[in-house]
Amino acid sequence: MSVDPSFLSNFFLVLTAFGGAFLAALWIALVIWTYRDIRARARDPLVQILSALLVAVLNLPGVLVYLILRPAHTLEEEYQHTLEEESLLQALEEMPLCPGCERRVKDDWQVCPNCHTKLKKTCHHCGKLMELPWNLCPYCGTPVPGMRQEGTSIDEALRDLKIGDASEEVKTS
Ligand SMILES: [Zn+2]
Ligand SMILES: [Zn+2]
């Protein structure tokens, strides 16, 4: 069985047409992809046009060159990065300073690790941290030992202290 030569040439013509169309579409797609990608990475219009032109002229090798030379981070990523840095700096600035050595200390530290200045005291009843000038625990309402609440006599303050000590003895036994 012989193949019609005109059919064969038509077949190759169609094949070439499809191949050419595919290559042209790929070419355009690569240029569009590059343009979109560079627009997310650079604000300079000259850089944007040059990148698209590079791929338009060199096609696949151009994409390779573009991938090597393009900025590593998108503008969005850079923006997020600066936001993170700013919030970190802000958090650092909000950290309190040690009154002894002026170094930054954490809110929940009792003693400065650098100069050993006392920063906070603990409630003798519930163990929560309190500011040094406070006379009363804001968590459980227990007055600090030795600090009299207004209106109470020394005897009452001492009695409170003894009750506190007694309850601790009960816990340990
Ligand atoms: Zn210190
Ligand atoms: Zn307490």
Side-chain angles (χ1 to χ4, degrees):
M1 182 187 161
S2 64
V3 181
D4 189 355
S6 70
F7 168 77
L8 213 62
S9 68
N10 273 344
F11 178 74
F12 277 115
L13 202 70
V14 169
L15 210 68
T16 321
F18 266 109
F22 172 72
L23 278 180
L26 189 71
W27 199 301
I28 293 165
L30 282 176
V31 174
I32 291 171
W33 176 83
T34 308
Y35 185 64
R36 276 188 190 155
D37 192 68
I38 193 66
R39 280 221 322 188
R41 284 165 201 274
R43 272 192 202 90
D44 191 352
L46 190 70
V47 174
Q48 293 174 358
I49 290 166
L50 276 178
S51 303
L53 217 62
L54 177 79
V55 175
V57 173
L58 295 177
N59 201 17
L60 271 176
V63 173
L64 202 68
V65 172
Y66 168 74
L67 283 176
I68 293 167
L69 292 182
R70 73 175 181 178
H73 299 290
T74 62
L75 296 172
E76 176 71 20
E77 281 166 353
E78 262 169 30
Y79 175 67
Q80 294 292 344
H81 191 69
T82 45
L83 272 190
E84 272 168 32
E85 267 180 1
E86 266 172 23
S87 67
L88 263 177
L89 271 177
Q90 206 177 0
L92 205 68
E93 271 167 19
E94 277 167 6
M95 278 170 85
L97 291 176
C98 165
C101 63
E102 304 261 294
R103 291 202 185 200
R104 304 214 177 270
V105 288
K106 283 194 179 169
D107 245 353
D108 53 353
W109 285 357
Q110 279 192 59
V111 181
C112 170
N114 187 51
C115 67
H116 302 175
T117 303
K118 198 167 185 210
L119 303 169
K120 294 269 167 70
K121 58 187 175 186
T122 51
C123 169
H124 74 284
H125 185 247
C126 69
K128 292 242 170 74
L129 283 176
M130 292 163 64
E131 301 284 340
L132 289 177
W134 291 353
N135 299 336
L136 189 85
C137 171
Y139 298 99
C140 66
T142 311
V144 172
M147 300 284 184
R148 280 195 298 127
Q149 270 181 298
E150 273 178 48
T152 56
S153 67
I154 294 178
D155 285 342
E156 278 176 319
L158 282 175
R159 203 181 54 212
D160 283 350
L161 209 64
K162 273 177 195 151
I163 291 166
D165 290 342
S167 65
E168 269 177 42
E169 275 166 28
V170 171
K171 263 185 239 161
T172 50
S173 63

